[in-house]
Amino acid sequence: MTREIKPELLDELLSGLERPEDLLGDAGLFRQLKKALMERALGGELTHHLGYEKGDPGGRGSGNSRNGHSSKTVLTEEGELDLSIPRDRAGTFEPQLVPKGVTRLDGFDDKVISLYARGLTVREIQGHLKELYGTEVSPDLISRVTDAVLDEVKEWQARPLDACYPIVFFDALRVKIRDEGLVRNKAVYVALALDVEGHKHVLGLWIEQSEGAKFWLKVMNDLKTRGLADILIAVVDGLKGFPEAIGAVFPETIVQTCIVHLIRNSLAFVSWKDRKQIMPDLKAIYRAENAEAALDRLAAFEARWGARYPAIGDSWRRAWEHVIPLFAFPPDIRKMIYTTNAVESLNRSLRKIIKTRGSFPSDEAATKLLFLAIRNAGVHWKRPIEWTAAMGQFAVLFGERFALSAS
């Protein structure tokens, strides 16, 4: 219920205030009001518990009465707040506003988690709270607050999925994680899906525990166990064995190699002085009108550059089966499906969060931070502008399979 505060009361409260700190400082009006209101509310809770007002003769002989106050310091979003908590003689009073054993009010934990999600370390959060609020918080308390997110992570990782997603992008980022006393450079795989309305969803995070196809098969089976029955197009980063793992679980899925990854791998062979000349020839391949024209342009590329950089043409031909699916779509829709730019945009925000970390102490610690960063990033996601046109194309190309995703 929203209650209007009378202007006369506000004028009375604000009279005599001359400086900003008189309102917002450690001894300012805001803190005084919060303390006074909370203590008044706690007194009201005790009155309700006892069944009579303070000083009411009707309370005599009731078997219980007020028994002074105890002091308690709680952590709030604005720092520490010292409260007087009323007591009863029978010891049966259980405050609801500040329950027994609770030393942090609503909002404080959210503040800590928000700082953690932005990449601050436990020690940095400790210093931040000390600097802004004058609050001494132990690293152990901050760790306990952020660890509470793990239950939410587990629930998110196991949540049911839609039966079908038109497009799912699979990509990986590298994270340093301590494992059995050694720091390993592990791959964290991210699956970013577009649903039938073009809205983005991160389906999950998987930290690589084994090499190659076995790991990717585990990821696919995990998605299927959670209710995903079909993927129309899977865009992958070209790792060996990944298309086979997708095909084993989702046999009708079209697997599209990420062209950006293919170009990036091609340029790894090229000297800096040749890159500006080579890029237009590479773009000409995937911007061709159709698959036949693309193959002709690949041959032209090899005729010009093959003697100097034979590995580039070889890598494109090895991946050709998974390069050409994009030519079934018009150019404006190709841009949306031939690259993992959507997931790479997410990965950039994740890398920004983790770049200050030397390493994570465990897989759980890495998953916790990445989950929080994904949750923050999701606020800014927008539907692709090409999606309305894409829906018509998908309906024609995939028929009943697309209808299933739309139902």
Side-chain angles (χ1 to χ4, degrees):
M1 179 179 68
T2 302
R3 299 185 63 174
E4 183 179 353
I5 301 176
K6 295 180 179 180
E8 297 81 8
L9 176 57
L10 291 175
D11 291 340
E12 182 181 349
L13 289 170
L14 294 172
S15 65
L17 299 186
E18 299 177 353
R19 303 167 302 170
E21 52 264 39
D22 293 338
L23 183 65
L24 303 172
D26 290 342
L29 179 62
F30 275 169
R31 289 179 65 84
Q32 293 180 48
L33 273 176
K34 189 167 189 175
K35 173 179 169 66
L37 288 170
M38 291 187 70
E39 290 178 347
R40 187 65 175 264
L42 287 165
E45 284 192 44
L46 180 57
T47 294
H48 178 76
H49 176 71
L50 294 174
Y52 63 91
E53 295 285 346
K54 185 176 181 179
D56 185 350
R60 294 172 185 171
S62 64
N64 198 4
S65 62
R66 290 170 174 79
N67 188 33
H69 297 78
S70 60
S71 298
K72 184 173 186 176
T73 300
V74 294
L75 294 173
T76 73
E77 288 183 278
E78 297 82 23
E80 294 180 346
L81 191 65
D82 295 321
L83 298 175
S84 291
I85 310 294
R87 298 178 304 197
D88 64 330
R89 291 194 178 278
T92 55
F93 176 50
E94 296 280 351
Q96 299 300 305
L97 183 61
V98 187
K100 289 182 179 179
V102 170
T103 58
R104 307 187 303 276
L105 297 187
D106 288 347
F108 180 81
D109 287 8
D110 290 341
K111 178 77 72 177
V112 171
I113 289 171
S114 176
L115 292 171
Y116 187 83
R118 283 162 174 76
L120 273 69
T121 65
V122 169
R123 295 290 180 183
E124 288 169 339
I125 294 172
Q126 184 186 28
H128 182 82
L129 295 174
K130 173 66 175 176
E131 181 180 346
L132 288 186
Y133 309 120
T135 302
E136 288 282 359
V137 179
S138 70
D140 182 60
L141 171 60
I142 295 170
S143 294
R144 290 202 307 272
V145 169
T146 57
D147 281 346
V149 175
L150 289 173
D151 289 339
E152 189 177 350
V153 173
K154 291 176 183 176
E155 183 179 344
W156 176 77
Q157 288 278 55
R159 74 193 190 282
L161 301 176
D162 291 351
C164 178
Y165 290 98
I167 306 179
V168 180
F169 302 92
F170 294 96
D171 200 10
L173 63 156
R174 292 284 171 177
V175 178
K176 291 181 173 62
I177 299 176
R178 191 168 294 279
D179 189 358
E180 297 181 351
L182 299 174
V183 175
R184 291 183 55 198
N185 201 22
K186 292 190 176 183
V188 180
Y189 274 83
V190 182
L192 177 65
L194 295 178
D195 66 17
V196 68
E197 296 180 348
H199 299 136
K200 297 178 185 177
H201 307 269
V202 175
L203 305 186
L205 291 169
W206 298 268
I207 296 181
E208 184 179 21
Q209 301 294 340
S210 58
E211 296 294 333
K214 287 185 179 179
F215 170 74
W216 298 318
L217 189 61
K218 175 183 177 297
V219 172
M220 295 303 117
N221 283 325
D222 179 36
L223 293 173
K224 189 166 187 177
T225 300
R226 291 163 56 197
L228 179 57
D230 194 10
I231 300 170
L232 303 185
I233 302 171
V235 184
V236 302
D237 61 3
L239 289 172
K240 186 177 179 181
F242 208 168
E244 291 76 13
I246 295 172
V249 180
F250 303 106
E252 294 185 90
T253 298
I254 292 175
V255 179
Q256 171 67 51
T257 291
C258 171
I259 302 298
V260 168
H261 279 85
L262 198 53
I263 289 176
R264 189 180 298 154
N265 294 337
S266 297
L267 292 178
F269 299 103
V270 180
S271 65
W272 282 101
K273 65 182 181 66
D274 287 338
R275 288 194 176 191
K276 282 189 177 180
Q277 292 177 287
I278 265 188
M279 269 307 298
D281 292 345
L282 287 174
K283 288 180 180 179
I285 299 171
Y286 67 85
R287 289 180 176 177
E289 310 83 62
N290 52 52
E292 292 77 15
L295 193 58
D296 290 341
R297 292 182 186 179
L298 175 58
F301 177 91
E302 290 174 314
R304 181 179 181 186
W305 298 102
R308 193 178 304 178
Y309 302 112
I312 296 178
D314 291 344
S315 65
W316 279 73
R317 288 188 180 277
R318 284 196 302 271
W320 197 249
E321 176 189 354
H322 301 302
V323 170
I324 57 176
L326 67 93
F327 292 107
F329 300 93
D332 57 337
I333 298 178
R334 291 182 199 176
K335 295 177 184 178
M336 188 170 54
I337 64 172
Y338 70 43
T339 174
T340 55
N341 271 356
V343 74
E344 286 211 27
S345 174
L346 170 64
N347 281 354
R348 277 195 297 272
S349 65
L350 299 184
R351 290 187 185 102
K352 189 183 298 183
I353 293 296
I354 64 177
K355 69 178 181 180
T356 57
R357 303 295 181 98
S359 63
F360 289 92
S362 64
D363 289 358
E364 276 191 342
T367 302
K368 178 173 64 174
L369 178 60
L370 293 172
F371 163 75
L372 290 171
I374 286 169
R375 192 170 67 180
N376 283 352
V379 175
H380 308 290
W381 288 344
K382 297 178 181 178
R383 167 178 160 155
I385 58 174
E386 308 92 345
W387 192 253
T388 301
M391 288 178 65
Q393 295 284 330
F394 292 151
V396 172
L397 187 59
F398 296 103
E400 291 185 0
R401 292 174 61 205
F402 182 71
L404 171 66
S405 66
S407 61

